[in-house]
């Protein structure tokens, strides 16, 4: 497959772009942040997302979605990155939808996927427990009790955790604390007894939560996929999430870059436009090249997930690692080249830096993924 | 089965039968490359046989038009040939500046007569070309060149000096930038001339490189008479031709790292540094450098793939080859810094049989030129700033 968007994908990008830049420019995010909105996202806009078919993008048509692929999800995420739009797209439409689609029983799919597809329910994935992403270091315990299980433990950095209607929780049902075997995924109702959700306001003012489970009871029907075998599903879903986040980072990095190029053509010092200074020209040109290379890697990873899922892992890691380093470079150079104004809250460039820092940590930073490339290549 | 799959199968079978095993091994020393030319010598029988078979098959350049001796394949089939060659690590049967740089310009700017005269000889390996661009005072500022070509009847008389002319002492013909109008602005008085290196008045003087080799020369022109009809493209508009050639030169330099077959870097590193109990490279910092390098290397391969897909779909920016040249050449320098670091003192040997006459060190030094030849990294960044980002005063 050619490493460029096809015609339908280009149309999708254009419609996502016009919707998002029109209805949700950066000021939309600012308003939510400044008003300390209790949901942290706009339910009205989420409805529009549903009408546009974005919420059910990855859900098969038989469950009310549009049955598109990761490339399409990446396209929407990239546009989201451009305006820092907070929305449950990643948590619900990408992660929860993929987990249910890949591991759900017939009944589970029939119950949840249509609601996720039309946006009426929001799903969220709870994996990490510590500060750094270690997807197999699961200590939250699920112990058999009667016909079901009891959950005890805590999750952190759960994206959209406090607005979720369905939680997908990775729990340990066997094995040692960092054993990939013995992990089981559960569908948990956030209103169940013993579930305590603390919304954590993060540096980027996007949604995240810490969630504690104390003797929370779930039935055996709520096991998603196979008992003790959850890590394979989890790894696959995380790879989708990683590539889609990489796409969002590319969008945010590209936006920081374009705004900086624009500023170089406007700001004057020493009687010249600062874009005339070669020191800055070379730095911004270097950034351009890095972004173009990352763009190719991200698109390749998304295509691999659609076409050759089982072999996508190393390429997803290349994409997420690159998105991390390039995105970081973009916001750092962007801020520096804006001078003092870049440090002000009133100016947008700092918001991109904050979001980029969070996306860097999400599902593994650049070091995590470079390390994974080395491990996959056995050195 | 589609046509393309059938073609792929035929290609695979043909290569399997016709590519000698020796020609599927990594290219290490300079003589592993066959450059052709009037004075060509083959390193081995296998090299000769491989070249002759590919030449007769018309696959030296599979996508050039058949009427001039090319393979006449469409882009998709040409890609299949490249992929199938890569799959068995087949070496390029012939490399030359005629293929990499001049050929595309001949096809675009050449008269029918010029195409018929020169392209078949590039493909048959008969004529080896060199590139006369740089001068002692005109490097990055190439358009300031001073080598002059004055009209005298139906000949130009060329006088001046070129420098860094790769393989000038081995080449049969030169494509050379000359100034034909001294009153015009610097980009507007240049003519692109083609001439035989045996023409009276042409002399070359090899220059020794830090790698210990001397593949390039000073080239002097003293009243060299060149037929008027040997101008490629319009007189005084040679800069357009020059830039077009540079685009191909930059493309080929950007891909410099993945030429020919190679062993996985991690394998080489594990061999020389060893592994710990987890199977990780015993030197954790080298391991992380290597991992970061591989991330960038893989991403760069995708970027190359994407760049050619963008060309095919008409979405490519004409200056993008400069972006790729910049990144690819810097990447290759990193690659060889890593080889040196992995090898330790073994990589420092300069003259032993064991080290194949210092191949690791000599190649490492050679790669330092990648970000200079074909336009320096600084110049590439300048081109991105000006032509892609449209920055003021760039
Ligand atoms: C191995 C090798 C093979 C070559 N083969 C050929 C060949 O076959 N034919 C041929 O014609 N030439 C050849 N060259 C020459 C090559 O194209 C030139 O060396 C190159 O264009 C740089 O020119 P220069 O050496 O004069 O350096 P200079 O232009 O003097 O540059 C010196 C330094 O100044 C920097 N610089 C210059 N201008 C600017 C600017 N505007 N902004 C910022 N920095 C700047 C450069 O980046 C560089 O770092 C070869 C060179 C090498 C190393």
């Amino acid at each position: 497959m050619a490493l460029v968007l096809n015609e339908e994908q280009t149309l999708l990008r254009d419609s996502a772009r016009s919707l998002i830049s029109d209805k949700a420019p950066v000021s939309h995010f600012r308003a939510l942040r400044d008003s300390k909105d209790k949901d942290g996202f706009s339910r009205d806009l989420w409805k529009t997302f549903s009408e546009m078919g974005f919420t059910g993008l990855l859900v098969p048509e038989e469950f009310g979605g549009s049955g598109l692929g990761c490339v399409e999800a990446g396209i929407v995420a990239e546009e989201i990155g451009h305006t820092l739009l907070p929305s449950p797209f990643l948590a619900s439409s990408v992660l929860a939808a993929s987990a249910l689609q890949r591991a759900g029983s017939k009944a589970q799919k029939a119950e949840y996927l249509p609601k996720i597809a039309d946006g009426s329910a929001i799903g969220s994935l709870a994996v990490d427990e510590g500060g750094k992403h270690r997807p197999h270091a699961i200590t939250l315990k699920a112990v058999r009790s009667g016909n079901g299980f009891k959950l005890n433990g805590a999750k952190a950095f759960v994206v959209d955790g406090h607005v979720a209607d369905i939680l997908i929780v990775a729990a340990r049902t066997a094995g040692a604390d960092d054993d990939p075997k013995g992990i089981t995924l559960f569908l948990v109702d956030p209103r169940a007894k013993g579930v305590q959700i603390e919304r954590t306001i993060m540096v980027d003012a996007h949604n995240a939560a810490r969630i504690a489970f104390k003797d929370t009871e779930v039935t055996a029907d709520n096991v998603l996929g196979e008992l003790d075998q959850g890590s394979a599903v989890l790894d696959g879903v995380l790879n989708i999430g990683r590539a889609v986040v990489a796409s969002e980072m590319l969008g945010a990095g590209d936006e920081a870059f374009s705004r900086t190029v624009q500023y170089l053509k406007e700001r004057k010092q020493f009687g010249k436009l600062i874009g005339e200074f070669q020191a800055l020209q070379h730095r911004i040109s270097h950034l351009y090249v890095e972004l173009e290379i990352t763009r190719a890697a991200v698109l390749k990873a998304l295509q691999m997930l659609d076409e050759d899922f089982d072999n996508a892992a190393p390429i997803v890691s290349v994409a997420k690692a690159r998105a991390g380093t390039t995105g970081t470079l973009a916001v750092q150079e962007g801020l520096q080249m804006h001078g003092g104004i870049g440090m002000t809250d009133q100016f947008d460039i700092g918001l991109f830096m904050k979001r980029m820092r969070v996306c860097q940590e999400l599902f593994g930073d650049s070091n995590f993924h470079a390390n994974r490339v080395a491990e996959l290549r056995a050195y | 089965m589609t046509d393309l799959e059938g073609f792929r199968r035929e290609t695979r079978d043909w290569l399997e039968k016709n590519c000698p095993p020796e020609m599927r091994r990594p290219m290490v020393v300079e003589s592993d490359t066959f450059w052709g030319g009037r004075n060509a010598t083959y390193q081995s029988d296998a090299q000769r046989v491989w070249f002759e078979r590919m030449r007769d098959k018309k696959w030296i350049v599979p996508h050039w038009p058949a009427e001039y001796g090319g393979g006449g394949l469409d882009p998709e089939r040409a890609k299949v040939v490249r992929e199938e060659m890569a799959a068995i690590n087949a070496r390029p049967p012939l490399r030359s500046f005629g293929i990499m740089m001049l050929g595309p310009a001949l096809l675009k700017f050449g008269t029918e007569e010029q195409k018929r005269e020169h392209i078949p000889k590039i493909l048959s390996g008969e004529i080896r070309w060199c590139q006369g661009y740089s001068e002692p005072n005109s490097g990055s500022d190439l358009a300031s060149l001073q080598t002059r070509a004055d009209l005298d009847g139906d000949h130009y008389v060329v006088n001046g000096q070129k420098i860094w002319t790769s393989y000038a002492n081995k080449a049969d013909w030169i494509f050379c930038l000359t100034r034909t109008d001294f009153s015009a602005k610097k980009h507007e008085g240049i003519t692109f001339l083609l001439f035989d290196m045996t023409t009276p008045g042409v002399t070359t003087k090899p220059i020794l490189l830090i790698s210990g080799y001397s593949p390039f020369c000073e080239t002097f022109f003293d009243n060299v008479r060149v037929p008027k009809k040997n101008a490629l493209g319009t007189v005084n508009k040679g800069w357009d031709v020059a830039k077009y050639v540079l685009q191909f030169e930059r493309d080929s330099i950007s891909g410099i790292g993945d030429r020919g077959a190679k062993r996985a870097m991690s394998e080489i590193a594990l061999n020389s540094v060893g592994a710990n109990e987890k199977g990780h490279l015993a030197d954790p910092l080298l391991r992380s450098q290597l991992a970061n390098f591989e991330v960038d290397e893989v991403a760069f391969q995708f970027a190359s793939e994407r760049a050619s897909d963008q060309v095919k779909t008409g979405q490519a920016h004409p200056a993008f080859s400069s972006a790729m040249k910049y990144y690819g050449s810097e990447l290759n320098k990193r690659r060889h810094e890593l080889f040196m670091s992995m090898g330790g003192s073994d990589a420092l040997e300069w003259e032993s049989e064991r080290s194949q006459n210092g191949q690791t060190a000599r190649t490492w030094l050679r790669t330092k030129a990648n970000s200079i030849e074909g336009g320096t990294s600084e110049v590439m960044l300048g081109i991105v700033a000006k032509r892609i980002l449209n920055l003021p005063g760039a």
Side-chain angles (χ1 to χ4, degrees):
Chain A
M1 183 184 253
L3 214 43
V4 288
L5 299 185
N6 66 26
E7 212 170 305
E8 294 89 63
Q9 290 163 344
T10 306
L11 286 173
L12 174 72
R13 184 198 61 196
D14 294 346
S15 70
R17 180 170 296 175
S18 75
L19 171 76
I20 290 172
S21 61
D22 184 36
K23 292 255 168 67
V26 177
S27 57
H28 170 85
F29 159 65
R30 276 186 183 278
L32 290 164
R33 178 192 74 158
D34 296 345
S35 67
K36 296 205 187 324
D37 185 272
K38 73 173 177 22
D39 290 333
F41 74 101
S42 155
R43 293 205 183 257
D44 279 349
L45 191 66
W46 189 238
K47 266 202 203 96
T48 312
F49 254 50
S50 159
E51 285 154 19
M52 300 279 291
F54 297 163
T55 49
L57 202 118
L58 290 177
V59 174
E61 285 171 88
E62 55 170 319
F63 297 111
S66 35
L68 294 172
C70 292
V71 172
E72 285 78 10
I75 287 169
V76 174
E78 188 176 336
E79 296 310 317
I80 284 175
H82 273 278
T83 71
L84 304 169
L85 168 63
S87 102
F89 180 74
L90 173 69
S92 191
S93 312
V94 175
L95 295 165
S98 303
L100 281 157
Q101 164 58 18
R102 303 189 73 79
S105 66
K106 262 202 179 125
Q108 288 167 338
K109 285 185 187 175
E111 180 175 357
Y112 296 109
L113 280 177
K115 294 186 208 157
I116 287 191
D118 70 13
S120 58
I122 290 168
S124 170
L125 180 70
V127 181
D128 280 316
E129 301 180 358
K132 294 301 278 189
H133 179 61
R134 288 179 61 201
H136 298 154
I138 303 287
T139 66
L140 184 147
K141 285 222 159 34
V143 180
R144 277 196 188 276
S145 143
N147 272 342
F149 294 82
K150 262 189 190 160
L151 307 188
N152 276 289
K155 295 289 177 184
F157 204 16
V158 182
V159 177
D160 288 310
H162 83 288
V163 291
D165 303 297
I166 315 142
L167 293 171
I168 297 169
V169 180
R172 181 149 304 281
T173 40
D177 281 353
D178 57 359
D179 194 343
K181 284 198 209 87
I183 295 171
T184 304
L185 300 178
F186 289 93
L187 292 164
V188 182
D189 182 344
R191 286 162 301 253
K193 246 176 64 190
V195 179
Q196 208 176 38
I197 301 179
E198 177 201 347
R199 178 183 185 185
T200 40
I201 304 282
M202 309 294 259
V203 65
D204 65 339
H206 279 50
N207 283 346
R210 289 182 183 269
I211 307 184
F213 301 85
K214 187 151 188 293
D215 292 332
T216 303
E217 292 183 9
V218 291
T219 68
D221 289 345
N222 287 342
V223 171
L224 179 65
E226 280 177 62
L227 192 69
D228 295 341
Q229 308 295 319
S231 70
V233 174
L234 185 61
D235 290 346
V237 171
L238 285 171
N239 280 338
I240 295 172
R242 287 160 178 153
V244 172
V245 173
S247 208
E248 181 179 340
M249 294 166 88
L250 181 65
D254 195 32
E255 185 67 28
F257 161 76
S258 314
R259 288 174 181 229
T260 305
V261 171
Q262 198 49 42
Y263 195 66
L264 293 180
K265 294 176 183 175
E266 286 164 6
R267 171 73 176 165
K268 274 192 166 170
Q269 283 294 286
F270 299 96
K272 289 180 179 174
L273 292 166
I274 58 171
E276 292 179 60
F277 298 125
Q278 196 186 51
L280 299 191
Q281 289 180 349
H282 284 192
R283 281 164 59 183
I284 197 80
S285 297
H286 170 79
L287 174 58
Y288 163 82
V289 179
E290 292 281 2
L291 279 164
E292 284 300 309
I293 287 162
T294 298
R295 181 177 298 285
V298 171
L299 183 56
K300 186 73 177 190
L302 294 162
Q303 288 186 351
M304 281 292 285
L305 287 165
D306 289 335
E307 287 163 23
D308 190 5
F309 192 83
D310 294 337
N311 292 312
I315 295 170
V316 167
S317 276
V318 164
K320 182 67 167 66
R322 287 276 323 176
T325 46
T326 312
T328 301
L329 183 71
V331 294
Q332 288 177 348
E333 290 289 67
L335 197 147
Q336 176 67 20
M337 290 186 205
H338 277 83
I341 200 171
M343 289 299 294
T344 62
D345 182 70
Q346 181 216 338
F347 204 78
D348 289 344
I349 201 86
L351 302 177
F352 286 92
M353 177 171 277
K354 293 172 175 181
R355 179 66 188 149
M356 199 63 82
R357 193 70 205 80
V358 170
C359 289
Q360 171 75 294
E361 291 303 322
L362 208 49
F363 312 135
D365 62 9
S366 296
N367 290 339
F368 175 96
H369 286 288
N371 181 58
R372 201 163 78 129
V373 167
E375 284 190 340
L376 292 166
R377 294 196 173 188
Y379 66 90
Chain B
M1 196 165 64
T2 66
D3 275 7
L4 205 59
E5 279 168 47
F7 179 74
R8 186 180 292 281
R9 184 150 319 162
E10 284 163 27
T11 302
R12 190 173 300 166
D13 291 347
W14 189 88
L15 288 170
E16 196 49 57
K17 270 197 218 94
N18 289 284
C19 183
E22 298 93 318
M23 294 295 106
R24 306 180 191 194
R25 298 207 190 109
M27 298 171 72
V28 181
V29 294
E30 170 65 24
S31 61
D32 287 342
T33 302
F34 178 60
W35 288 92
R38 288 175 188 141
N39 306 315
T41 51
Y42 298 100
Q43 174 198 40
S44 63
D45 230 30
Q47 193 179 57
R48 182 184 55 77
V49 164
W50 175 226
F51 165 69
E52 287 173 356
R53 287 178 182 164
M54 286 292 275
R55 179 196 61 197
D56 297 345
K57 184 81 178 163
K58 309 276 182 218
W59 278 359
I60 297 295
V61 185
H63 67 278
W64 282 4
E67 51 191 311
Y68 308 119
L73 298 187
D74 59 40
E76 245 145 36
R77 277 160 205 260
K79 192 174 171 192
V80 166
V81 175
R82 276 200 307 278
E83 286 171 353
E84 293 303 320
M85 282 178 68
I88 60 165
N89 295 325
R91 294 178 181 178
L94 172 69
R95 279 188 67 213
S96 77
F97 291 1
I99 297 173
M100 285 187 285
M101 303 183 213
L102 181 64
L106 277 167
L107 287 169
K108 184 172 167 82
F109 295 96
T111 60
E112 195 53 36
E113 190 192 339
Q114 286 170 335
K115 290 188 220 179
R116 293 207 181 275
E117 179 181 355
H118 297 299
I119 295 177
K121 290 183 193 157
I122 291 174
L123 292 167
S124 66
E126 244 171 291
I127 294 296
R128 180 172 177 177
W129 287 85
C130 67
Q131 177 192 33
Y133 276 30
S134 307
E135 297 179 5
N137 291 316
S138 302
S140 299
D141 184 10
L142 179 60
S144 69
L145 62 97
Q146 294 297 313
T147 292
R148 57 188 307 144
D150 299 290
L151 210 49
D152 176 24
D154 51 9
H155 280 74
Y156 285 107
V157 181
V158 179
N159 280 288
Q161 187 198 335
K162 296 288 171 179
I163 195 167
W164 320 131
T165 326
S166 295
Y167 306 112
N169 53 342
K170 297 184 176 160
D172 307 308
W173 276 64
I174 186 168
F175 52 95
C176 188
L177 297 181
T178 59
R179 187 159 301 283
T180 36
D181 184 348
F182 278 81
S183 59
K185 280 196 273 175
K186 66 178 178 180
H187 294 100
E188 286 163 17
I190 294 170
T191 298
F192 196 106
L193 289 183
L194 312 175
F195 54 92
D196 194 317
M197 290 292 277
T198 59
T199 318
V202 179
T203 47
T204 60
K205 197 169 141 214
I207 306 166
L208 194 66
L209 285 185
I210 51 176
S211 61
Y213 297 133
S214 73
F216 61 19
C217 297
E218 290 180 279
T219 307
F220 301 92
F221 307 121
D222 180 17
N223 289 319
V224 178
R225 294 185 69 84
V226 177
K228 224 174 122 181
K229 67 177 172 54
N230 284 16
L232 180 59
T234 312
V235 172
N236 290 329
K237 293 269 177 271
W239 187 246
D240 294 341
V241 187
K243 277 194 303 189
Y244 190 72
V245 168
L246 279 172
Q247 203 175 309
F248 288 89
E249 179 177 12
R250 285 166 189 163
D251 277 344
S252 81
I253 296 172
S254 77
I256 196 102
D258 47 47
R259 179 182 306 140
K262 54 181 195 258
R263 242 169 100 205
M265 286 177 87
S266 54
E267 209 181 295
I268 297 169
L270 284 167
N271 243 326
S272 103
V273 180
N276 67 16
E277 66 287 352
K278 281 169 120 178
H280 291 175
L281 265 185
D283 176 345
L285 295 183
L286 177 63
R287 178 176 182 269
S288 82
Q289 280 182 350
L290 183 57
N292 283 320
F293 172 79
E294 292 205 317
V295 163
D296 292 340
E297 185 189 41
V298 171
F300 181 71
Q301 281 162 10
F302 298 146
S304 308
E305 194 183 325
R306 181 170 157 81
S308 68
D309 288 339
Q310 284 186 306
V311 170
K312 269 185 232 145
T313 52
Q315 303 172 30
H317 192 291
F320 197 67
S321 60
S322 297
M324 296 296 282
K325 196 273 176 183
Y326 163 64
Y327 200 88
S329 60
E330 295 294 338
L331 191 71
N332 203 38
K333 290 198 296 182
R334 264 169 82 193
R335 175 183 291 113
H336 287 273
E337 284 296 331
L338 278 167
F339 279 135
M340 290 305 284
S341 175
M342 289 170 191
S345 66
D346 289 342
L348 302 175
E349 282 192 28
W350 189 249
E351 288 191 338
S352 60
E353 186 76 37
R354 192 171 36 247
S355 66
Q356 288 178 289
N357 217 15
Q359 270 319 305
T360 307
R362 290 174 197 269
T363 309
W364 162 67
L365 289 164
R366 174 61 182 83
T367 62
K368 298 305 175 198
N370 296 160
S371 53
I372 299 170
E373 58 197 324
T376 67
S377 282
E378 291 76 16
V379 168
M380 294 305 101
L381 290 172
I383 291 173
V384 170
K386 176 178 181 166
R387 297 191 46 208
I388 301 182
L389 305 183
N390 299 311
L391 287 171

